[in-house]
Amino acid sequence: MPRRALTFVLAAAVAFGATAAEARPQHIMSINLCTDELLLNLVPHARIASVTYLARSPIYSYMWREAADVPVNHALAEEAIGENPDLVLAGTYTGTAARVLLKRIGLPVVEIPPANSFAEIRTVTRMAAHAVGEDARGEALIAHMDATLRSLAATKPKAVIRVAAWDGAGDVPGRGSLFDAILTAAGGRDIASYEGEGDGHFGIERLLLARPDVLLYGAEAHATPALRTDADEHPLLLRAFGARRITYPEVLYSCGVPEAADAARTLRVGLLRAMQQPMRAGE
C-alpha cells in the first residue's frame, strides 16, 4: 500500500476511534446499588458522575473500596438534575419516582433488572456494558465468571452438601434466589428449599430434625447483637453442629454481578472445610 494511502487509513482509524470514544457516555450516574457495582466494574472513575451512598458501605457493597473516591447520591431526581449526567443507570424496582421524573425531563435512563441466576448475570452485565459503551469489558467480566463456574463444576464434591442457610430468626433464602444459585455452584443445597422440609421459615426444632450437614449464617447478621444472634448460640445448636457452623459474606449475595462466581468459589472452600469437622462438638 502506498505511504500516502496508508497514512490516510491510519488517520481515519484514529479519527473513528476518537469518535467512538466520544460517543460513549462520559458522565454516568447510577441510582441503584446493583448498577453501582456494574458501573464500577465497567468504566474508569473519570466517567462516573456518582453512585449511591450505599456503594461506599462494606455492609452493603462488594465494591465499597472502589467507590471510596467516587461522588455519591441518594437516588433523588433533584441530584440528577444538578449533575446533568449523559446516562443514568437505574434498577427496575427501585427509585420509581426518580426514574419517572428523569425520563420526563429527557435524561437518558437505562433500567437494569435484578439478576438471580448466572444466566441473568450475563444478561444484565451485557445490558450495562452496552449502555456505557464497554461491550468488550463486559464480555471479559463474563468470561472470568464462566471460567470460575467451569472450574467449580469440574471439581464439585461427589455428594451434594446439605446446608441450612439460617439467620437465627428462622428465615431461609428461597429457591430461585441469587443465594440459591451461588450455593448450587458451590456444591451445596439448601434443605428448606429443596427437600420439602421448610416453607421459608425454619425454627430450631425443625432445624435439628432436618439434620443438615452444615449450618450457614450470613456474617453481617450474625455479628449484630440481637435476639436472633442469641438463637444462633442456642446450646442445642452448638452441641449438634459444633464446628460445622460457618458464615458467608452477605455483601457478595446482594447483587447479581459477575463476582457472584467468586462468592461460590469462596463458599466451596468453607463448605469443604466444615465437612472435615465432626458433626458434634467434642467428638
Side-chain angles (χ1 to χ4, degrees), residues 35-78:
T35 57
D36 290 344
E37 296 187 3
L38 287 169
L39 182 59
L40 288 164
N41 259 324
L42 288 166
V43 304
H45 291 183
R47 291 175 57 197
I48 300 178
S50 66
V51 292
T52 71
Y53 71 97
L54 294 173
R56 288 186 177 179
S57 170
I59 296 177
Y60 297 107
S61 174
Y62 173 73
M63 305 286 288
W64 65 274
R65 291 184 181 86
E66 288 79 0
D69 60 349
V70 175
V72 298
N73 65 68
H74 293 77
L76 300 176
E78 294 89 337

Side-chain angles (χ1 to χ4, degrees), residues 163-167 171-173 179 182-183 215-222 245-254 263 266-267:
V163 170
W166 202 68
D167 70 353
D171 297 323
V172 294
F179 176 89
I182 293 172
L183 178 61
L215 191 56
L216 192 58
Y217 297 94
E220 286 77 15
H222 187 54
R245 293 153 38 90
I246 64 174
T247 60
Y248 65 93
E250 291 171 279
V251 68
L252 290 175
Y253 298 72
S254 58
T266 300
L267 183 56

Side-chain angles (χ1 to χ4, degrees), residues 205-227:
E205 295 81 2
R206 296 175 73 182
L207 186 65
L208 293 170
L209 287 173
R211 203 72 169 157
D213 297 318
V214 177
L215 191 56
L216 192 58
Y217 297 94
E220 286 77 15
H222 187 54
T224 304
L227 289 176

